[in-house]
Amino acid sequence: MVLIMSNEELEKVMIGLDKFPVVRVSDTLKRALDSMTSFGLGFACIVNEDGILEGVLTDGDLRRILLTRQNPLPALLVTDAIQFSGQSPKTIGSGASIQDCIDSMKKNHIADLPVISNQNKLIGVVHFHDLI
């Protein structure tokens, strides 16, 4: 059962940029892994130099890399993380309702949903557990 916080604005439940892993398009997979580990989260958002969300790297992406790539691990770690990320991530606009977030997360079977501004800049993320 999902409990919806009534009359809450998305900004009140959104996690700010300094509270989850955000790496640049040119950052290596190792840098992304380090960031994910330091925050203790199973994803990293990848942004360009203007802060536009370009991809999301998840623990699932990492498993698929290890199972499908024949490169030695050191070679993978120095490759740009964006190459391994989902480059059409599901997002939600900053004006969306909490119910919109929950519906999108359920539909797409995801627990973390990047929040973007009208200019497509990453401004935060919503975590499913924070909504229930």
Side-chain angles (χ1 to χ4, degrees), residues 69-110:
R69 299 283 179 132
Q70 298 302 311
N71 304 43
L73 186 57
L76 291 174
L77 292 174
V78 297
T79 304
D80 291 346
I82 190 72
Q83 291 186 28
F84 306 114
S85 71
Q87 295 178 29
S88 295
K90 303 298 181 203
T91 62
I92 196 98
S94 60
S97 71
I98 290 174
Q99 187 62 53
D100 291 338
C101 293
I102 292 170
D103 292 345
S104 180
M105 291 170 156
K106 283 180 161 183
K107 176 183 175 189
N108 295 295
H109 306 285
I110 56 176

Side-chain angles (χ1 to χ4, degrees), residues 1-5 98-99 101-103 106 128 131-132:
M1 181 173 144
V2 177
L3 300 175
I4 302 170
M5 294 184 261
I98 290 174
Q99 187 62 53
C101 293
I102 292 170
D103 292 345
K106 283 180 161 183
F128 187 76
L131 301 177
I132 59 172

